[in-house]
Amino acid sequence: SAEWAFYQKLLEQEEQLQTSSMGRFLDGIASILGICTHSSYEGEAAMKLEALARGSHHRSSFNYPMPVISDCIDTGLFMEELMADVLHGYNRSWIASKVFISLTNMIEEISERYNAKHLAFSGGVFQNALLVDMITRELGQRKSLYFHKQLSPNDECISFGQIAVHHLSKADTRTALNPSYVFSNSRKDH
């Protein structure tokens, strides 16, 4: 097909495309696992991946590596190891669970790298209840976690976060934005 030919041409080129979309990353993983190869609505693939991960009877302490290189998350090793698990025929629900554990661990590693004690979450991926539950369980005792209270957790709020970061970088400590105005650090306000 024309799409396949275009995709093959992209693979032959030097890496040029980058994305910050975790949703598209999860869509790709869902497709690789054969869970959802064509989405009929936004978030479908990630929701199916979440449902599959919840079906895992064992929680892996293993995770896929996601190193930070030049302030970018490198997913290359993650994908290599995920593909190896798929090719070895490991249970898809175990792999899906390992994906969400990996994302949680990546958030913790990045917060440690930048010595961040207060973490605010925004974007459509944080509608994923399993991911939010894992973050809350794994990080909630050591970090201040903020989830949406007055704004939706969808992608339109990423720009709000960018404005907040800009404000905090310019403000002195007496006038700094209080994250509890828009976010709550309690799961029940979700």
Side-chain angles (χ1 to χ4, degrees):
S1 79
E3 289 176 347
W4 183 252
F6 177 73
Y7 180 69
Q8 290 299 315
K9 285 183 181 178
L10 283 177
L11 290 177
E12 292 170 4
Q13 296 176 8
E14 188 176 318
E15 286 185 37
Q16 297 174 356
L17 299 175
Q18 294 185 8
T19 181
S20 63
S21 175
M22 188 53 62
R24 300 304 71 80
F25 185 67
L26 294 177
D27 288 349
I29 292 169
S31 182
I32 289 168
L33 294 178
I35 300 164
C36 184
T37 57
H38 294 85
S39 293
S40 55
Y41 56 89
E42 182 66 28
E44 178 181 8
M47 288 170 53
K48 289 182 175 182
L49 187 64
E50 174 186 2
L52 186 65
R54 285 189 183 278
S56 178
H57 297 295
H58 43 359
R59 294 286 180 233
S60 170
S61 60
F62 301 108
N63 68 295
Y64 297 114
M66 296 180 83
V68 176
I69 300 171
S70 300
D71 291 330
C72 291
I73 300 167
D74 184 352
T75 57
L77 289 171
F78 182 112
M79 293 307 297
E80 285 178 24
E81 290 191 19
L82 181 131
M83 291 303 299
D85 286 351
V86 169
L87 293 173
H88 282 104
Y90 291 129
N91 182 290
R92 291 183 319 157
S93 65
W94 180 79
I95 294 171
S97 177
K98 192 172 170 182
V99 166
F100 289 105
I101 291 166
S102 301
L103 295 178
T104 303
N105 289 342
M106 181 256 315
I107 291 166
E108 181 175 25
E109 288 172 22
I110 290 174
S111 71
E112 291 299 320
R113 176 184 179 134
Y114 294 101
N115 199 27
K117 306 249 184 285
H118 301 275
L119 308 177
F121 298 92
S122 189
V125 72
F126 295 108
Q127 289 187 53
N128 187 299
L130 177 61
L131 181 58
V132 170
D133 289 346
M134 285 182 168
I135 291 167
T136 302
R137 183 180 63 241
E138 298 300 320
L139 304 178
Q141 298 300 315
R142 298 182 309 282
K143 307 279 183 182
S144 294
L145 308 178
Y146 298 93
F147 298 93
H148 286 275
K149 177 168 74 173
Q150 294 180 344
L151 302 172
S152 82
N154 288 317
D155 291 349
E156 72 268 12
C157 289
I158 293 171
S159 58
F160 176 82
Q162 292 168 334
I163 291 168
V165 167
H166 174 75
H167 175 76
L168 290 171
S169 71
K170 301 295 180 199
D172 67 32
T173 56
R174 292 173 306 206
T175 62
L177 178 67
N178 182 349
S180 63
Y181 174 72
V182 176
F183 293 93
S184 169
N185 63 356
S186 142
R187 276 287 284 135
K188 67 179 185 273
D189 290 336
H190 221 35

